[in-house]
PDB file of all heavy atoms in Angstrom:
ATOM      1  N   THR V 193     -13.407   6.838   4.289  1.00 59.00           N
ATOM      2  CA  THR V 193     -14.277   5.835   4.868  1.00 59.00           C
ATOM      3  C   THR V 193     -15.487   5.688   4.010  1.00 59.00           C
ATOM      4  O   THR V 193     -16.184   6.608   3.694  1.00 59.00           O
ATOM      5  CB  THR V 193     -14.762   6.197   6.325  1.00 59.00           C
ATOM      6  OG1 THR V 193     -13.607   6.379   7.234  1.00 59.00           O
ATOM      7  CG2 THR V 193     -15.679   5.179   6.893  1.00 59.00           C
ATOM      8  N   GLY V 194     -15.791   4.446   3.703  1.00 56.00           N
ATOM      9  CA  GLY V 194     -16.956   4.198   2.889  1.00 56.00           C
ATOM     10  C   GLY V 194     -16.971   4.948   1.601  1.00 56.00           C
ATOM     11  O   GLY V 194     -15.946   5.047   0.927  1.00 56.00           O
ATOM     12  N   SER V 195     -18.108   5.506   1.216  1.00 50.00           N
ATOM     13  CA  SER V 195     -18.265   6.174  -0.123  1.00 50.00           C
ATOM     14  C   SER V 195     -18.249   7.676   0.075  1.00 50.00           C
ATOM     15  O   SER V 195     -18.525   8.346  -0.958  1.00 50.00           O
ATOM     16  CB  SER V 195     -19.521   5.757  -0.775  1.00 50.00           C
ATOM     17  OG  SER V 195     -20.592   6.084   0.059  1.00 50.00           O
ATOM     18  N   GLY V 196     -17.844   8.227   1.203  1.00 51.00           N
ATOM     19  CA  GLY V 196     -17.793   9.642   1.405  1.00 51.00           C
ATOM     20  C   GLY V 196     -16.826  10.278   0.484  1.00 51.00           C
ATOM     21  O   GLY V 196     -15.722   9.777   0.212  1.00 51.00           O
ATOM     22  N   LYS V 197     -17.065  11.536   0.051  1.00 64.00           N
ATOM     23  CA  LYS V 197     -16.296  12.213  -0.842  1.00 64.00           C
ATOM     24  C   LYS V 197     -15.250  13.031  -0.056  1.00 64.00           C
ATOM     25  O   LYS V 197     -15.521  13.562   1.041  1.00 64.00           O
ATOM     26  CB  LYS V 197     -17.099  13.160  -1.764  1.00 64.00           C
ATOM     27  CG  LYS V 197     -17.984  12.340  -2.698  1.00 64.00           C
ATOM     28  CD  LYS V 197     -18.567  13.232  -3.806  1.00 64.00           C
ATOM     29  CE  LYS V 197     -19.495  12.451  -4.698  1.00 64.00           C
ATOM     30  NZ  LYS V 197     -18.673  11.493  -5.547  1.00 64.00           N
ATOM     31  N   LEU V 198     -14.069  13.129  -0.623  1.00 72.00           N
ATOM     32  CA  LEU V 198     -12.985  13.847   0.016  1.00 72.00           C
ATOM     33  C   LEU V 198     -13.042  15.274  -0.237  1.00 72.00           C
ATOM     34  O   LEU V 198     -13.355  15.758  -1.406  1.00 72.00           O
ATOM     35  CB  LEU V 198     -11.624  13.282  -0.459  1.00 72.00           C
ATOM     36  CG  LEU V 198     -11.302  11.903  -0.036  1.00 72.00           C
ATOM     37  CD1 LEU V 198     -10.058  11.369  -0.746  1.00 72.00           C
ATOM     38  CD2 LEU V 198     -11.076  11.787   1.494  1.00 72.00           C
ATOM     39  N   ALA V 199     -12.659  16.152   0.675  1.00 72.00           N
ATOM     40  CA  ALA V 199     -12.563  17.580   0.472  1.00 72.00           C
ATOM     41  C   ALA V 199     -11.252  17.882  -0.152  1.00 72.00           C
ATOM     42  O   ALA V 199     -10.270  17.176  -0.098  1.00 72.00           O
ATOM     43  CB  ALA V 199     -12.691  18.255   1.846  1.00 72.00           C
ATOM     44  N   VAL V 200     -11.226  19.061  -0.774  1.00 72.00           N
ATOM     45  CA  VAL V 200     -10.016  19.462  -1.587  1.00 72.00           C
ATOM     46  C   VAL V 200      -8.762  19.431  -0.616  1.00 72.00           C
ATOM     47  O   VAL V 200      -7.689  19.014  -0.950  1.00 72.00           O
ATOM     48  CB  VAL V 200     -10.183  20.880  -2.208  1.00 72.00           C
ATOM     49  CG1 VAL V 200      -8.895  21.381  -2.799  1.00 72.00           C
ATOM     50  CG2 VAL V 200     -11.303  20.866  -3.225  1.00 72.00           C
ATOM     51  N   GLY V 201      -8.977  19.929   0.603  1.00 85.00           N
ATOM     52  CA  GLY V 201      -7.824  20.045   1.517  1.00 85.00           C
ATOM     53  C   GLY V 201      -7.201  18.751   1.894  1.00 85.00           C
ATOM     54  O   GLY V 201      -6.076  18.747   2.372  1.00 85.00           O
ATOM     55  N   THR V 202      -7.833  17.631   1.718  1.00 91.00           N
ATOM     56  CA  THR V 202      -7.307  16.326   2.143  1.00 91.00           C
ATOM     57  C   THR V 202      -6.285  15.741   1.131  1.00 91.00           C
ATOM     58  O   THR V 202      -5.558  14.847   1.544  1.00 91.00           O
ATOM     59  CB  THR V 202      -8.389  15.362   2.398  1.00 91.00           C
ATOM     60  OG1 THR V 202      -9.072  15.080   1.172  1.00 91.00           O
ATOM     61  CG2 THR V 202      -9.375  15.784   3.479  1.00 91.00           C
ATOM     62  N   VAL V 203      -6.294  16.309  -0.040  1.00 94.00           N
ATOM     63  CA  VAL V 203      -5.386  15.628  -1.066  1.00 94.00           C
ATOM     64  C   VAL V 203      -4.347  16.508  -1.607  1.00 94.00           C
ATOM     65  O   VAL V 203      -3.620  16.140  -2.552  1.00 94.00           O
ATOM     66  CB  VAL V 203      -6.280  15.137  -2.273  1.00 94.00           C
ATOM     67  CG1 VAL V 203      -7.275  14.071  -1.840  1.00 94.00           C
ATOM     68  CG2 VAL V 203      -7.053  16.320  -2.947  1.00 94.00           C
ATOM     69  N   THR V 204      -4.133  17.689  -1.042  1.00 95.00           N
ATOM     70  CA  THR V 204      -3.185  18.652  -1.545  1.00 95.00           C
ATOM     71  C   THR V 204      -1.767  18.274  -1.099  1.00 95.00           C
ATOM     72  O   THR V 204      -1.561  17.534  -0.143  1.00 95.00           O
ATOM     73  CB  THR V 204      -3.494  20.122  -1.056  1.00 95.00           C
ATOM     74  OG1 THR V 204      -3.379  20.128   0.357  1.00 95.00           O
ATOM     75  CG2 THR V 204      -4.876  20.500  -1.496  1.00 95.00           C
ATOM     76  N   LEU V 205      -0.805  18.878  -1.744  1.00 97.00           N
ATOM     77  CA  LEU V 205       0.622  18.668  -1.436  1.00 97.00           C
ATOM     78  C   LEU V 205       0.849  19.182  -0.029  1.00 97.00           C
ATOM     79  O   LEU V 205       1.663  18.552   0.713  1.00 97.00           O
ATOM     80  CB  LEU V 205       1.450  19.405  -2.423  1.00 97.00           C
ATOM     81  CG  LEU V 205       3.050  19.265  -2.238  1.00 97.00           C
ATOM     82  CD1 LEU V 205       3.411  17.786  -2.323  1.00 97.00           C
ATOM     83  CD2 LEU V 205       3.795  20.053  -3.231  1.00 97.00           C
ATOM     84  N   GLU V 206       0.300  20.303   0.360  1.00 96.00           N
ATOM     85  CA  GLU V 206       0.494  20.849   1.681  1.00 96.00           C
ATOM     86  C   GLU V 206       0.071  19.887   2.791  1.00 96.00           C
ATOM     87  O   GLU V 206       0.673  19.719   3.801  1.00 96.00           O
ATOM     88  CB  GLU V 206      -0.150  22.245   1.853  1.00 96.00           C
ATOM     89  CG  GLU V 206       0.542  23.310   0.976  1.00 96.00           C
ATOM     90  CD  GLU V 206       2.055  23.396   1.266  1.00 96.00           C
ATOM     91  OE1 GLU V 206       2.409  23.441   2.531  1.00 96.00           O
ATOM     92  OE2 GLU V 206       2.853  23.384   0.389  1.00 96.00           O
ATOM     93  N   THR V 207      -1.098  19.275   2.559  1.00 96.00           N
ATOM     94  CA  THR V 207      -1.662  18.304   3.592  1.00 96.00           C
ATOM     95  C   THR V 207      -0.684  17.109   3.606  1.00 96.00           C
ATOM     96  O   THR V 207      -0.404  16.568   4.623  1.00 96.00           O
ATOM     97  CB  THR V 207      -3.075  17.850   3.218  1.00 96.00           C
ATOM     98  OG1 THR V 207      -3.888  19.061   3.306  1.00 96.00           O
ATOM     99  CG2 THR V 207      -3.547  16.830   4.178  1.00 96.00           C
ATOM    100  N   LEU V 208      -0.277  16.659   2.456  1.00 97.00           N
ATOM    101  CA  LEU V 208       0.632  15.474   2.374  1.00 97.00           C
ATOM    102  C   LEU V 208       1.897  15.799   3.148  1.00 97.00           C
ATOM    103  O   LEU V 208       2.418  14.953   3.929  1.00 97.00           O
ATOM    104  CB  LEU V 208       1.017  15.228   0.910  1.00 97.00           C
ATOM    105  CG  LEU V 208       1.889  14.044   0.645  1.00 97.00           C
ATOM    106  CD1 LEU V 208       1.359  12.631   1.174  1.00 97.00           C
ATOM    107  CD2 LEU V 208       2.183  13.861  -0.850  1.00 97.00           C
ATOM    108  N   LYS V 209       2.430  16.985   3.032  1.00 98.00           N
ATOM    109  CA  LYS V 209       3.648  17.375   3.801  1.00 98.00           C
ATOM    110  C   LYS V 209       3.435  17.286   5.308  1.00 98.00           C
ATOM    111  O   LYS V 209       4.192  16.843   6.082  1.00 98.00           O
ATOM    112  CB  LYS V 209       4.112  18.769   3.439  1.00 98.00           C
ATOM    113  CG  LYS V 209       4.674  18.922   2.078  1.00 98.00           C
ATOM    114  CD  LYS V 209       5.043  20.444   1.799  1.00 98.00           C
ATOM    115  CE  LYS V 209       5.615  20.613   0.394  1.00 98.00           C
ATOM    116  NZ  LYS V 209       6.002  22.050   0.222  1.00 98.00           N
ATOM    117  N   LYS V 210       2.230  17.778   5.754  1.00 97.00           N
ATOM    118  CA  LYS V 210       1.913  17.740   7.179  1.00 97.00           C
ATOM    119  C   LYS V 210       1.753  16.248   7.657  1.00 97.00           C
ATOM    120  O   LYS V 210       2.215  16.012   8.794  1.00 97.00           O
ATOM    121  CB  LYS V 210       0.565  18.490   7.440  1.00 97.00           C
ATOM    122  CG  LYS V 210       0.686  19.977   7.197  1.00 97.00           C
ATOM    123  CD  LYS V 210      -0.619  20.692   7.330  1.00 97.00           C
ATOM    124  CE  LYS V 210      -0.567  22.175   7.056  1.00 97.00           C
ATOM    125  NZ  LYS V 210      -1.841  22.828   7.145  1.00 97.00           N
ATOM    126  N   GLN V 211       1.201  15.431   6.852  1.00 98.00           N
ATOM    127  CA  GLN V 211       1.090  14.024   7.261  1.00 98.00           C
ATOM    128  C   GLN V 211       2.419  13.360   7.335  1.00 98.00           C
ATOM    129  O   GLN V 211       2.688  12.611   8.331  1.00 98.00           O
ATOM    130  CB  GLN V 211       0.211  13.285   6.226  1.00 98.00           C
ATOM    131  CG  GLN V 211      -1.230  13.640   6.242  1.00 98.00           C
ATOM    132  CD  GLN V 211      -2.014  13.007   5.058  1.00 98.00           C
ATOM    133  OE1 GLN V 211      -1.700  13.246   3.943  1.00 98.00           O
ATOM    134  NE2 GLN V 211      -2.943  12.144   5.364  1.00 98.00           N
ATOM    135  N   VAL V 212       3.292  13.629   6.416  1.00 98.00           N
ATOM    136  CA  VAL V 212       4.646  13.105   6.450  1.00 98.00           C
ATOM    137  C   VAL V 212       5.350  13.616   7.782  1.00 98.00           C
ATOM    138  O   VAL V 212       6.054  12.753   8.511  1.00 98.00           O
ATOM    139  CB  VAL V 212       5.477  13.414   5.257  1.00 98.00           C
ATOM    140  CG1 VAL V 212       6.920  13.163   5.462  1.00 98.00           C
ATOM    141  CG2 VAL V 212       4.922  12.750   4.017  1.00 98.00           C
ATOM    142  N   GLN V 213       5.168  14.830   8.077  1.00 98.00           N
ATOM    143  CA  GLN V 213       5.837  15.431   9.273  1.00 98.00           C
ATOM    144  C   GLN V 213       5.316  14.713  10.555  1.00 98.00           C
ATOM    145  O   GLN V 213       6.058  14.444  11.551  1.00 98.00           O
ATOM    146  CB  GLN V 213       5.666  16.931   9.329  1.00 98.00           C
ATOM    147  CG  GLN V 213       6.514  17.554  10.427  1.00 98.00           C
ATOM    148  CD  GLN V 213       7.958  17.264  10.278  1.00 98.00           C
ATOM    149  OE1 GLN V 213       8.567  17.461   9.162  1.00 98.00           O
ATOM    150  NE2 GLN V 213       8.684  16.720  11.260  1.00 98.00           N
ATOM    151  N   ARG V 214       4.016  14.498  10.578  1.00 98.00           N
ATOM    152  CA  ARG V 214       3.460  13.795  11.796  1.00 98.00           C
ATOM    153  C   ARG V 214       4.083  12.442  11.962  1.00 98.00           C
ATOM    154  O   ARG V 214       4.404  11.921  13.072  1.00 98.00           O
ATOM    155  CB  ARG V 214       1.949  13.632  11.635  1.00 98.00           C
ATOM    156  CG  ARG V 214       1.173  14.911  11.834  1.00 98.00           C
ATOM    157  CD  ARG V 214      -0.355  14.648  11.885  1.00 98.00           C
ATOM    158  NE  ARG V 214      -1.126  15.892  11.503  1.00 98.00           N
ATOM    159  CZ  ARG V 214      -1.784  16.008  10.418  1.00 98.00           C
ATOM    160  NH1 ARG V 214      -1.789  15.039   9.481  1.00 98.00           N
ATOM    161  NH2 ARG V 214      -2.438  17.088  10.128  1.00 98.00           N
ATOM    162  N   MET V 215       4.188  11.700  10.841  1.00 98.00           N
ATOM    163  CA  MET V 215       4.794  10.375  10.877  1.00 98.00           C
ATOM    164  C   MET V 215       6.313  10.488  11.321  1.00 98.00           C
ATOM    165  O   MET V 215       6.724   9.679  12.143  1.00 98.00           O
ATOM    166  CB  MET V 215       4.728   9.784   9.449  1.00 98.00           C
ATOM    167  CG  MET V 215       5.246   8.304   9.433  1.00 98.00           C
ATOM    168  SD  MET V 215       7.094   8.197   9.174  1.00 98.00           S
ATOM    169  CE  MET V 215       7.216   9.007   7.559  1.00 98.00           C
ATOM    170  N   ARG V 216       7.028  11.426  10.832  1.00 98.00           N
ATOM    171  CA  ARG V 216       8.426  11.615  11.156  1.00 98.00           C
ATOM    172  C   ARG V 216       8.562  12.005  12.644  1.00 98.00           C
ATOM    173  O   ARG V 216       9.527  11.510  13.321  1.00 98.00           O
ATOM    174  CB  ARG V 216       9.090  12.657  10.262  1.00 98.00           C
ATOM    175  CG  ARG V 216       9.215  12.251   8.784  1.00 98.00           C
ATOM    176  CD  ARG V 216      10.000  13.277   7.958  1.00 98.00           C
ATOM    177  NE  ARG V 216      11.304  13.553   8.509  1.00 98.00           N
ATOM    178  CZ  ARG V 216      12.412  12.793   8.114  1.00 98.00           C
ATOM    179  NH1 ARG V 216      12.273  11.847   7.252  1.00 98.00           N
ATOM    180  NH2 ARG V 216      13.608  13.070   8.676  1.00 98.00           N
ATOM    181  N   ASP V 217       7.716  12.810  13.101  1.00 98.00           N
ATOM    182  CA  ASP V 217       7.775  13.164  14.564  1.00 98.00           C
ATOM    183  C   ASP V 217       7.571  11.944  15.392  1.00 98.00           C
ATOM    184  O   ASP V 217       8.359  11.758  16.411  1.00 98.00           O
ATOM    185  CB  ASP V 217       6.651  14.174  14.922  1.00 98.00           C
ATOM    186  CG  ASP V 217       6.941  15.556  14.280  1.00 98.00           C
ATOM    187  OD1 ASP V 217       8.040  15.849  13.840  1.00 98.00           O
ATOM    188  OD2 ASP V 217       5.989  16.340  14.237  1.00 98.00           O
ATOM    189  N   ALA V 218       6.688  11.059  15.038  1.00 98.00           N
ATOM    190  CA  ALA V 218       6.535   9.827  15.813  1.00 98.00           C
ATOM    191  C   ALA V 218       7.694   8.855  15.631  1.00 98.00           C
ATOM    192  O   ALA V 218       8.114   8.058  16.550  1.00 98.00           O
ATOM    193  CB  ALA V 218       5.224   9.091  15.372  1.00 98.00           C
TER     194      ALA V 218
END
Side-chain angles (χ1 to χ4, degrees):
T193 298
S195 58
K197 295 192 179 293
L198 292 169
V200 174
T202 63
V203 296
T204 64
L205 181 62
E206 289 308 310
T207 298
L208 181 60
K209 289 179 180 178
K210 292 175 182 177
Q211 289 173 298
V212 169
Q213 190 58 53
R214 289 191 203 106
M215 183 278 296
R216 290 183 62 87
D217 290 343

